[in-house]
Amino acid sequence: MAQGLRAAIDFLLYEWLQAQTLCSRARYADHTRETFDAVLDTCERIARDKYAPFNRLVDTEEPRFDGERVILPAATHEAWKAYAASGMLSAAQDYAVGGMQLPYTVEAAGNAFFAAASVSIGAGMLTVGNANLLMAHGTEAQQRAFALPEFAGRFSGTMCLSEPQAGSSLSDIATRAVPDGEGYEADPLGPRYRLRGNKMWISAGEHELTENIVHLVLAKIPGPDGRLPPGVKGISLFIVPKKLVTPDGQLCGQRNDVALAGLNHKCGWRGTTNTLLNFGEGRYPVSAPGLGAGLDGQGAGAIGYRVGEPGQGLRYMFHMMNEARIGVGMAATMLGMAGYLASLDYARTRLQGRPLGPHGKDPAQPPVRIIEHADVKRMLLAQKAYCEGALALELYCARLVDEQRTGEAATADDARLLLEVLTPIAKSWPSEWCLEANSLAIQVHGGYGYTRDFPVEQYWRDNRLNMIHEGTHGIQALDLLGRKVLMEDGRGTRLLGERIAATAERARAVPALAAHAEALAAAWDAVLAATRAAWADGDPVAALANAVPYMQAFGHTVLAWIWLDVALAAAARDGAAHAGRLQACRYFFHYELPKIEAWLRVVRTRDRTCADMAEEAF
Amino acid sequence: MAQGLRAAIDFLLYEWLQAQTLCSRARYADHTRETFDAVLDTCERIARDKYAPFNRLVDTEEPRFDGERVILPAATHEAWKAYAASGMLSAAQDYAVGGMQLPYTVEAAGNAFFAAASVSIGAGMLTVGNANLLMAHGTEAQQRAFALPEFAGRFSGTMCLSEPQAGSSLSDIATRAVPDGEGYEADPLGPRYRLRGNKMWISAGEHELTENIVHLVLAKIPGPDGRLPPGVKGISLFIVPKKLVTPDGQLCGQRNDVALAGLNHKCGWRGTTNTLLNFGEGRYPVSAPGLGAGLDGQGAGAIGYRVGEPGQGLRYMFHMMNEARIGVGMAATMLGMAGYLASLDYARTRLQGRPLGPHGKDPAQPPVRIIEHADVKRMLLAQKAYCEGALALELYCARLVDEQRTGEAATADDARLLLEVLTPIAKSWPSEWCLEANSLAIQVHGGYGYTRDFPVEQYWRDNRLNMIHEGTHGIQALDLLGRKVLMEDGRGTRLLGERIAATAERARAVPALAAHAEALAAAWDAVLAATRAAWADGDPVAALANAVPYMQAFGHTVLAWIWLDVALAAAARDGAAHAGRLQACRYFFHYELPKIEAWLRVVRTRDRTCADMAEEAF
């Protein structure tokens, strides 16, 4: 399996995205394609040796709480150790803090191997995102005490947004953060607060993989009247470590009042703990001698250190959430790839049936391998088109991150804005279509596909979470149609349109791709027309009533663009693999892109069928 | 939940299909709507008391083999007892054999409650289908010894088609049946054979729910050269009981040589054992004193009694498989309904977020129930359209079975042929779209949806089997485009077209439905045009290359017709529930039917993209 994945990544990274050209940038000047390859080799090897063999094990041996500790399989501990030892946790960091100064594009490509091998053993996504946020918005002291131990793999990180009564609706969070007495602002680790509240859906919220867990927690600081400020503008961000630390990131021997209230038992992604955490319920009262004056008594809350300014918490957190959304998109993509490659292997060896046609169906002839049946080919080609297309999109987005970080001012700003528009697609599209790919992988296996003797049903279960966590499909769709396509007077949409037009222009010159170029241009025009029609009178209720079908059409159009661009790179080269990419592109244009009309139709007509449905009529 | 299901069934059964008019037929003359209702009441009650409470239990406590017996939860035994006691196993049978002489339409409606409550505890589908087959093709002695104990719930039944090396490809089965010595034809239970072979994917293949298990087994009788005849024409059908019986259906104290070789561990439908069975491996050698002369030695095979003529096995089995396919379609539908009703309940109580619009999004306002959000309404209405539409289709097919059995000769023959055309849709459509409904039910729940604290993720896992068992999507599609739409010179297709046209004609007179009528007529024309284009030169390779997209378009068109016909019944009535049906119909025409163009396009153009994909290019 890993072979097919590596070949796909190598092609996209070097032949399509020309990632090696990043080495001409000052930040990456020490790198070459060889050093990039060495990183990919290491990731591939660790994923093969420490992740893949245990993917089923972590599904069947779910995390459990023994009353004191959360028990994970030994394999998960070994995998984490190997991952931390690889240096991938600080792959993108400066040499000065022990990092590799790798482009994010290469980091994302390397991490893909772990997601394909065992998404739920988990790699460093949340820990790295957490530490990155502190590098961007924390004080130097916070970075030293929390981020650096995370990059070293001694600590791990979480993001604590949702609450049981407030999933997607962050304005309703009720976790309270109260200044921790007089002089609370003088704590070397940042303004010190006491937090009380409950956080739901916290991945990796409790475990023994690391010395400590750094929770980044959204909470509200009550006003003078004791009431929490309404809305998202009242949200602040806090570092709440599981165990209290000294300013140089050593444990100071005292547990913070963060208590596991429950493990969520999921249909997939079962190797990762998913928790309900109680902050400040009093189970681990913090008297904290030596932590500073002004503690207002035992059990008065979990200690948290404010990051940045009050009321800016959501903005800081989005720094982490955008990376997390690309990470989720990549995870969904890799689950799809894993299923695709497993079903391809199966189809190449499983004997069954005979081809149709004049000499087929003769029972005296031996059965053929099922890859010779047209419908099996269709299911494999659909998977290839979904998953390799999604992989290209995720790497393209990663490349934009590098552009934003190291490009000239104007191109960096374009990259930032384009990334804003593409992020909802990078999150939502693979979570929908690579899940569909997993269903097709099951289907290729026939009855074997739904048994636990083959890996594909687990990929499918694991992948079902991706349309929900880190922002549901519905949330992504509101973000896209309600915010991203409009922002900066639609400049992001125009930027995307320019890139689409440029790809179409190049493709018009290639006879095999010219018809696709026309189809892409027409599809983009249809998306723009639907966007305008949806917002015709500026009423968000009417505009957003069909935001999800809009996002589906937008996503399919983006993927058609990505595939056509990939096909341009493939068309210039010889060999079966390149021919396969051209065929996958053709599949996408013939079988998939025409679906957008049905989705856009309801957007364009501002169809009210769903919105008008009376509750009592269900 | 059951309330919403009962209301849907009552409307479709009595107001749409006018099932009460069946009481004017001689066979059902003793029945009235009241006796039908009493059956539905009983089913609803048993399903509520004995099935629904244990649906999660049977998922977590999978069947296990203790070396001698397969252990199932006590709840499964209780549920089977209650089901058998209800009389539903012989619901459709003659009074003379203890049956209720119920229409199949009512039987199917009654069984729907069990599938919705716990599909994997299982009701009587296979047992009844097995016994029905014997009533149609077995001898009177076989009926007495095997079918009647099945109707009484003392025995249960299986269908044994697939083998490990031959799933969908029945022509390759290798189970051998050899005449059991001189005088083998004189056995009172039918010509006696010895069988050897392995059968895979046998549902309810081993358990202790009943005294005995009646396996109906496809096998081949070797020719004079000792070789098995090639192809499906060499297949015969045998009754192979787990335990040998006397001619009056009593156990004679000897086990037959049918051995459990393994339990399949599935991602869903886990309450039902699914087995690999070895016939005649010698684990339970049958010396069988008193069973007749001519036994050719211990361990020489499992004893089986031939049903009907040699070489006709597949034809007889299809008698059972068509019912099984409607049964699978109904099971898929009910899993969808269960998820729909669960997510509707959730959406009515869960508070989160605020509506869009000028007065919405104000954080000072309290959160609303999520059913007030347009996208949640969309997900609920899509589920309603998929599941209530599928339910209508399944009941319509059941109604055709009754017409075939009790109608005048000409209408009975029309019903038979129409059923042939609709069966692939009745099997495939709900297995695809009610699975999609289950995914939407998860989505409505947000993160809670993928936890095992809510029932929806199990419905989704259970439903994933339905696109595979009893004939995969690919097999159904070949059956539809390769056989059913062509059979009897296309008369079945014309019959369907006439019914579609009649519905459209009536709908043209109803202002709210007139536009749908035009859309339906156009869709059917497009399906016919694609059918002709696919078969333009009679080459099956070209015609069938896109058989699955064809079936998807055909299925959506059939469902649009069903919805329009249902809407005609709803439009004539007042009240919220009827308004809801009209809205679901509208949803189907606005959001779903337009999808057919993308599917038909590749059929019409005989697109070769998938068929031409070279294996090495994947």
Side-chain angles (χ1 to χ4, degrees), chain A residues 62 163-169 171-172 200-201 230-232 264-268 270 274 340 344 348 350-354 356-358 361 363-365 367 369 371-372 374-375 377-378 380-381 384 435 439-440 442-443 446-453 457 460-461 464-465 467-469 472-474 478 539-541 544-546 548-549 552 576-577 579-581 583-584 586-587 589-591 594-595 598-599 601-602 607-618, chain B residues 62 163-169 171-172 200-201 230-232 264-268 270 274 340 344 348 350-354 356-358 363-365 367 369 371-372 374-375 377-378 380-381 384 435 439-440 442-443 446-453 457 460-461 464-465 467-469 472-474 478 539-541 544-546 548-549 552 576-577 579-581 583-584 586-587 589-591 594-595 598-599 601-602 607-618:
Chain A
E62 269 188 304
E163 300 182 0
Q165 85 293 351
S168 300
S169 180
S171 65
D172 289 316
M200 185 58 164
W201 310 120
V232 295
N264 291 311
H265 296 285
K266 299 163 290 177
C267 66
R270 294 168 65 171
N274 187 283
Y340 164 51
L344 181 58
R348 281 183 163 142
R350 168 74 177 176
L351 295 173
Q352 183 148 304
R354 285 157 196 81
L356 299 166
K361 285 280 175 196
Q365 298 296 318
R369 296 167 311 131
I371 198 171
E372 299 184 38
D375 194 53
K377 284 190 186 183
R378 182 188 63 82
L380 292 170
L381 192 53
K384 182 182 176 76
L435 176 68
S439 189
L440 291 171
I442 293 174
Q443 196 70 19
Y448 295 100
Y450 58 68
T451 69
R452 305 202 298 276
D453 300 330
E457 63 85 29
W460 179 71
R461 286 187 286 110
R464 187 60 190 84
L465 278 69
M467 240 190 307
I468 295 174
H469 58 194
T472 65
H473 239 44
L478 292 178
D539 172 14
V541 177
L544 300 174
N546 294 293
V548 167
Q552 292 174 305
R581 289 171 190 124
Q583 202 77 346
R586 185 184 171 88
Y587 170 87
F589 276 87
H590 287 197
Y591 287 72
K595 292 178 180 171
W599 291 317
R601 188 178 175 278
V602 293
D607 196 293
R608 303 269 323 166
T609 304
C610 300
D612 288 346
M613 179 75 177
E615 183 179 336
E616 63 275 18
F618 278 110
Chain B
E62 269 188 305
E163 301 182 1
Q165 85 294 350
S168 301
S169 179
S171 65
D172 290 316
M200 186 59 165
W201 309 120
V232 296
N264 291 312
H265 296 285
K266 299 163 291 179
C267 66
R270 292 167 68 169
N274 188 282
Y340 164 52
L344 181 58
R348 280 183 165 142
R350 168 73 177 176
L351 295 174
Q352 184 149 305
R354 284 155 195 84
L356 298 167
Q365 297 297 316
R369 295 165 314 130
I371 198 170
E372 299 184 40
D375 194 53
K377 284 191 186 184
R378 182 187 62 84
L380 293 170
L381 191 53
K384 182 181 176 75
L435 176 67
S439 188
L440 291 171
I442 292 175
Q443 196 70 19
Y448 295 100
Y450 58 66
T451 69
R452 305 202 299 276
D453 300 330
E457 63 85 27
W460 180 69
R461 287 187 287 109
R464 185 60 189 84
L465 278 69
M467 237 192 304
I468 295 175
H469 59 194
T472 64
H473 239 43
L478 292 178
D539 172 14
V541 178
L544 300 173
N546 294 294
V548 166
Q552 291 174 305
R581 290 173 189 122
Q583 201 79 344
R586 186 182 171 87
Y587 170 87
F589 276 88
H590 287 197
Y591 287 72
K595 292 179 180 172
W599 292 317
R601 187 180 175 277
V602 293
D607 196 294
R608 303 267 323 165
T609 304
C610 301
D612 288 347
M613 179 74 176
E615 182 180 335
E616 62 275 17
F618 278 110

Side-chain angles (χ1 to χ4, degrees), chain B residues 36-91:
Chain B
F36 293 168
D37 280 344
V39 170
L40 298 183
D41 290 345
T42 301
C43 291
E44 197 178 350
R45 178 177 48 76
I46 298 174
R48 185 190 60 224
D49 296 346
K50 303 288 187 179
Y51 281 68
F54 308 104
N55 190 44
R56 179 59 76 174
L57 176 82
V58 299
D59 183 62
T60 47
E61 294 189 16
E62 269 188 305
R64 61 192 168 79
F65 185 54
D66 72 358
E68 194 174 334
R69 277 177 307 226
V70 169
I71 314 294
L72 293 169
T76 305
H77 287 261
E78 292 302 314
W80 172 261
K81 264 185 233 163
Y83 186 81
S86 76
M88 283 299 285
L89 287 163
S90 57

Side-chain angles (χ1 to χ4, degrees), chain A residues 79-332:
Chain A
W80 172 261
K81 266 186 233 163
Y83 186 81
S86 76
M88 283 299 285
L89 287 163
S90 57
Q93 295 304 309
D94 294 356
Y95 296 131
V97 297
M100 289 195 263
Q101 273 186 219
L102 269 182
Y104 180 63
T105 310
V106 178
E107 179 185 355
N111 278 327
F113 292 101
F114 301 99
S118 179
V119 79
S120 83
I121 287 182
M125 188 175 84
L126 288 170
T127 299
V128 171
N130 177 305
N132 281 347
L133 185 152
L134 293 178
M135 296 307 281
H137 302 292
T139 63
E140 214 180 302
Q142 289 172 336
Q143 293 169 6
R144 196 170 52 242
F146 302 108
L148 298 191
E150 289 187 279
F151 290 133
R154 288 177 46 224
F155 296 0
S156 56
T158 74
M159 48 196 290
C160 300
L161 290 80
S162 299
E163 300 182 0
Q165 85 293 351
S168 300
S169 180
L170 293 173
S171 65
D172 289 316
I173 64 169
T175 298
R176 301 170 71 90
V178 181
D180 193 17
E182 303 264 335
Y184 75 97
E185 286 183 296
D187 196 294
L189 292 176
R192 197 181 60 242
Y193 288 71
R194 292 287 188 148
L195 278 77
R196 282 183 172 178
N198 314 306
K199 291 290 180 178
M200 185 58 164
W201 310 120
I202 310 309
S203 285
E206 180 59 86
H207 56 72
E208 303 287 322
L209 293 172
T210 49
E211 286 177 38
N212 202 359
I213 302 175
V214 181
H215 302 290
L216 283 175
V217 181
L218 294 183
K220 290 184 173 182
I221 304 168
D225 60 355
R227 298 172 69 170
L228 298 182
V232 295
K233 294 197 176 118
I235 298 175
S236 303
L237 178 65
F238 301 87
I239 301 165
V240 185
K242 172 181 167 183
K243 297 174 181 169
L244 298 177
V245 301
T246 63
D248 59 348
Q250 298 304 313
L251 301 188
C252 60
Q254 179 154 23
R255 181 142 184 181
N256 199 359
D257 194 7
V258 183
L260 180 73
L263 290 173
N264 291 311
H265 296 285
K266 299 163 290 177
C267 66
W269 212 301
R270 294 168 65 171
T272 302
T273 54
N274 187 283
T275 59
L276 171 60
L277 297 179
N278 287 352
F279 291 84
E281 68 165 27
R283 197 182 319 169
Y284 305 101
V286 195
S287 56
L291 277 171
L295 295 178
D296 60 351
Q298 284 202 351
I303 287 178
Y305 307 99
R306 201 184 71 220
V307 177
E309 296 304 312
Q312 297 295 310
L314 202 58
R315 188 169 70 80
Y316 302 147
M317 193 58 108
F318 262 97
H319 185 98
M320 182 169 178
M321 271 166 54
N322 280 337
E323 282 184 36
R325 285 176 176 174
I326 295 177
V328 167
M330 183 63 102

Side-chain angles (χ1 to χ4, degrees), chain B residues 469-546:
Chain B
H469 59 194
E470 310 302 348
T472 64
H473 239 43
I475 294 290
Q476 302 299 329
L478 292 178
D479 185 41
L480 178 68
L481 182 55
R483 206 165 76 83
K484 296 298 181 61
V485 297
L486 306 176
M487 71 192 288
E488 303 186 18
D489 284 325
R491 190 167 73 84
T493 311
R494 284 194 300 281
L495 278 174
L496 178 58
E498 285 161 20
R499 300 212 175 185
I500 288 174
T503 299
E505 191 52 39
R506 291 169 56 217
R508 280 193 188 94
V510 180
L513 303 178
H516 301 340
E518 299 310 324
L520 175 62
W524 181 244
D525 286 347
V527 168
L528 290 180
T531 314
R532 281 191 298 270
W535 283 108
D537 62 5
D539 172 14
V541 178
L544 300 173
N546 294 294

